Amino acid sequence: MTNTPLDFEQVSAPLPADLRTLPIGLSLSGGGYRAAAFHLGTLAYLDRTGLLPQLRRLSTVSGGSFTGAKYIISLIENTEFNRFFQDFYRFLRDENLFKAGLADLSTGKVRVPSGERKLISSLSNVYADTFLKSPEGTPYRLGTILDADIPVQEVVFNATEFRTGVAFRFQKSANRRARIGNGNVYISRESAKQIRLSDVVAASSCFPGGFEPMKFPQDFDWPSSTVLKEVEKDISRGGNPNSVALMDGGIYDNQGIDSLLLADDRKDAEALGLFIISDVDPAQDSLYPYPDNDQPPSALTLGQVDWIIRLFLLLCSLTLIAVGYELWHQINQGDFSFWQDFFPLLMPLVLVFGVLAVLWWGRNLIKTQLLPRIPQVGIAGWQDLKTLKINEFLYILELRFTSLMAMTRSVFMDRIKALIFARVYGDEAYQGKRISNRIDRLANRSAALPGIVPLSPALKTVATRAATMGTTLWFDQLGQLVDVTAAGQATICFNLIQYIVRRYGETPETYPPAIQELWQTMVQDWAQLNQDPYALLKGRLPGEKFPPIS
């Protein structure tokens, strides 16, 4: 388990007189709809405190790319923040992207040059047709962001490239060294302008097991074959194939921190004054709880089952001979009638033959294809496996599958997370500038600070439900969306209060005037949220129905 720092020790770095003048960097982690809603709540509270206009660098991953892309588009469209909030909140509430993607897949229409039908491509079509389309109804393309004159100077949508196993960045930057791709695989800025923004978001959120890898550039929608050929030429430089597999950015860095640090290293813009990591990856007490052997005891071994199947094959063969003989006999005697003998003779003959063929094919497949591929075991190993009882065999399979899933989904990603967090928390340049806004912050700790009301049971309940929600592409219940969005607001509110206490001390009277004003606003909001965790949401969404907390 990675025990990521939630705060920092007091440091001697200069104290800013007003947080609302500091350039802010923000990373939005992956995590499906849970991430999209939590980050929406985080943005909403940053807007409430006047900090959001100071956002200068944004890095997003997977579910965070949904919210990040939509927010950047709202800036380009000059959409007032509350309108953006309401529209995107209702989109998350009403839209089941997975169901819509399956519906698009079922049409059989293919919009991409590869000509291949994939669920991830269908989901990209859904994104292009819904929340990532222009007022004119056409899909937004990456060029809209690359050429935009907006306060956010660096925007990075993160995917993972499988040829070399590193991040693949779709990014807006004034620095020429900031490639669209990475140091190994990259394309020209002019070609990148033609990429559908929906394809960028799809590549960023294409998590293994749930979706197929996106074949770049052939699984992307291009306005012309000329652009596609230019991109293929870029991808194939150095004699490489003209395509590369892209998947979820969370494989490389699920918090999006690394790209934000790289953007800050380029020093083309003003240095960051505040570094906020919005993260829906909660800490886990155990990455792999060892499964109990709760399989019902079995008296049969695999070898005995094998003999039962052999016996069944023999009986099927004898049945086939007997029914076939009877059918042949009736035909020779002239007594055969198709309609009278269809169910008594023909149908049993077909069914028995089918069962016999399937069993024979299955046994042959296992013997010739599966067993020889088991390293250093092969067919000879089957003789040893035959002694295992059914429940023992099933338990072994469960252990192998669950440990493999834990390794890929938790152990490896937790290790990567620890390395990247060590970089940001080990760099003195970021001391006094870091805020870890983790979704389980209010669920796992007392959240007690001097001068503020203690964490209420109601708010802790909402935060706990948000932290324990699974990763999905839809919300089963309205309460899930409400809880996670409210948790985003409350968590960043508390973390900002804590930041001020750690940086400026425990005596608000000594704070600079602008910090005192911000402090008072946040303390009042915190008290309001503890009384009613949905209070700030209700202010944003007049007329919206909210479920009871308990």
Side-chain angles (χ1 to χ4, degrees):
M1 173 181 67
T2 297
N3 219 357
T4 54
L6 293 169
D7 43 49
F8 50 84
E9 299 299 327
Q10 275 195 320
V11 294
S12 58
L15 293 173
D18 188 354
L19 298 186
R20 288 169 289 197
T21 62
L22 298 179
I24 295 175
L26 176 63
S27 66
L28 305 179
S29 77
Y33 258 32
R34 183 181 76 248
F38 184 79
H39 302 324
L40 180 63
T42 299
L43 290 177
Y45 195 73
L46 292 175
D47 173 74
R48 180 178 177 84
T49 56
L51 293 169
L52 190 57
Q54 291 302 114
L55 182 63
R56 296 294 178 265
R57 291 169 200 163
L58 178 66
S59 175
T60 73
V61 182
S62 197
S65 293
F66 287 73
T67 303
K70 187 63 178 176
Y71 175 64
I72 294 299
I73 288 298
S74 77
L75 293 179
I76 295 170
E77 294 176 342
N78 291 316
T79 303
E80 187 266 332
F81 181 85
N82 209 48
R83 174 64 185 275
F84 150 73
F85 180 89
Q86 292 174 354
D87 288 348
F88 193 59
Y89 177 92
R90 286 164 183 154
F91 172 80
L92 295 177
R93 179 195 66 188
D94 300 335
E95 197 71 40
N96 185 323
L97 294 177
F98 194 76
K99 182 178 180 180
L102 288 174
D104 182 90
L105 184 68
S106 69
T107 65
K109 296 179 181 178
V110 179
R111 305 191 203 179
V112 293
S114 69
E116 298 173 357
R117 295 172 62 190
K118 296 177 180 177
L119 179 56
I120 190 62
S121 299
S122 291
L123 278 170
S124 181
N125 295 336
V126 171
Y127 306 160
D129 295 341
T130 54
F131 74 106
L132 293 178
K133 68 178 180 180
S134 70
E136 294 76 28
T138 58
Y140 273 116
R141 296 196 179 264
L142 188 58
T144 304
I145 294 178
L146 297 182
D147 293 335
D149 182 16
I150 55 176
V152 187
Q153 300 156 353
E154 305 272 341
V155 181
V156 187
F157 304 109
N158 294 277
T160 303
E161 173 260 300
F162 271 36
R163 181 185 293 173
T164 58
V166 297
F168 191 98
R169 300 179 175 95
F170 300 92
Q171 57 186 330
K172 166 187 170 63
S173 176
N175 190 292
R176 291 185 177 182
R177 291 182 297 150
R179 290 171 168 168
I180 310 295
N182 54 46
N184 306 307
V185 181
Y186 55 91
I187 66 175
S188 72
R189 189 174 186 274
E190 289 305 309
S191 295
K193 288 182 179 180
Q194 305 303 319
I195 299 174
R196 275 193 319 184
L197 189 54
S198 64
D199 288 331
V200 171
V201 173
S204 178
S205 57
C206 180
F207 58 88
F211 302 108
E212 316 83 358
M214 292 191 77
K215 186 179 183 182
F216 181 72
Q218 291 82 6
D219 279 346
F220 281 44
D221 178 90
W222 301 95
S224 70
S225 59
T226 302
V227 179
L228 173 62
K229 289 178 181 177
E230 285 297 318
V231 175
E232 288 179 332
K233 182 179 177 181
D234 286 342
I235 296 295
S236 61
R237 64 171 59 88
N240 290 311
N242 67 355
S243 65
V244 63
L246 298 182
M247 294 204 79
D248 195 300
I251 300 168
Y252 183 79
D253 172 16
N254 197 45
Q255 283 64 46
I257 298 171
D258 196 57
S259 293
L260 206 56
L261 294 177
L262 286 176
D264 198 44
D265 286 344
R266 289 193 285 264
K267 306 300 182 187
D268 295 298
E270 51 194 334
L272 291 179
L274 205 56
F275 192 110
I276 302 174
I277 305 165
S278 189
D279 184 9
V280 301
D281 183 20
Q284 302 177 57
D285 293 332
S286 174
L287 298 180
Y288 180 62
Y290 205 94
D292 293 328
N293 187 3
D294 54 2
Q295 298 289 342
S298 172
L300 290 176
T301 65
L302 293 180
Q304 291 169 334
V305 171
D306 182 52
W307 277 109
I308 290 173
I309 293 175
R310 291 170 184 261
L311 179 60
F312 186 73
L313 284 172
L314 177 61
L315 292 175
C316 284
S317 301
L318 293 176
T319 302
L320 189 66
I321 294 171
V323 175
Y325 174 78
E326 179 63 24
L327 179 63
W328 176 80
H329 179 72
Q330 292 217 17
I331 291 174
N332 279 345
Q333 294 294 323
D335 296 333
F336 177 77
S337 170
F338 181 83
W339 295 112
Q340 288 183 352
D341 295 322
F342 179 79
F343 285 104
L345 294 176
L346 284 179
M347 184 57 68
L349 191 67
V350 172
L351 291 176
V352 172
F353 180 79
V355 170
L356 188 63
V358 169
L359 288 175
W360 186 267
W361 172 81
R363 282 179 57 82
N364 186 64
L365 181 68
I366 293 172
K367 184 177 180 180
T368 60
Q369 299 293 325
L370 180 60
L371 292 180
R373 295 184 181 183
I374 301 175
Q376 299 180 357
V377 177
I379 298 176
W382 173 238
Q383 304 304 320
D384 299 317
L385 292 176
K386 283 182 178 181
T387 63
L388 289 173
K389 293 183 178 180
I390 298 298
N391 62 304
E392 293 173 331
F393 180 69
L394 293 176
Y395 184 52
I396 288 174
L397 288 181
E398 179 186 4
L399 290 175
R400 287 176 180 241
F401 177 76
T402 55
S403 61
L404 178 63
M405 294 299 294
M407 179 182 69
T408 55
R409 295 178 58 181
S410 298
V411 177
F412 284 171
M413 293 186 69
D414 212 54
R415 178 57 179 159
I416 294 169
K417 180 178 179 179
L419 292 172
I420 294 175
F421 264 90
R423 182 183 173 195
V424 67
Y425 279 88
D427 190 338
E428 292 185 1
Y430 295 108
Q431 283 190 5
K433 298 180 179 181
R434 305 163 298 217
I435 295 179
S436 178
N437 191 55
R438 204 171 66 195
I439 193 171
D440 60 350
R441 177 66 178 89
L442 303 180
N444 294 340
R445 298 182 65 170
S446 61
L449 286 172
I452 68 171
V453 300
L455 180 67
S456 69
L459 183 53
K460 186 164 186 175
T461 296
V462 168
T464 301
R465 290 198 302 234
T468 55
M469 179 191 163
T471 299
T472 68
L473 282 178
W474 66 89
F475 287 112
D476 294 324
Q477 305 167 2
L478 174 61
Q480 292 178 318
L481 172 60
V482 174
D483 285 345
V484 178
T485 310
Q489 293 175 311
T491 306
I492 189 61
C493 175
F494 178 83
N495 282 322
L496 286 168
I497 293 173
Q498 177 180 259
Y499 176 86
I500 291 177
V501 171
R502 296 295 175 103
R503 290 289 278 128
Y504 295 86
E506 299 181 2
T507 310
E509 293 79 12
T510 64
Y511 297 166
I515 301 297
Q516 284 191 39
E517 179 187 348
L518 186 59
W519 163 270
Q520 290 296 333
T521 298
M522 292 189 299
V523 168
Q524 291 170 9
D525 288 342
W526 176 252
Q528 193 176 5
L529 287 165
N530 276 277
Q531 185 176 0
D532 178 2
Y534 304 150
L536 299 185
L537 268 184
K538 292 174 180 177
R540 293 273 185 190
L541 300 163
E544 192 80 12
K545 293 182 179 180
F546 292 88
I549 293 174
S550 58

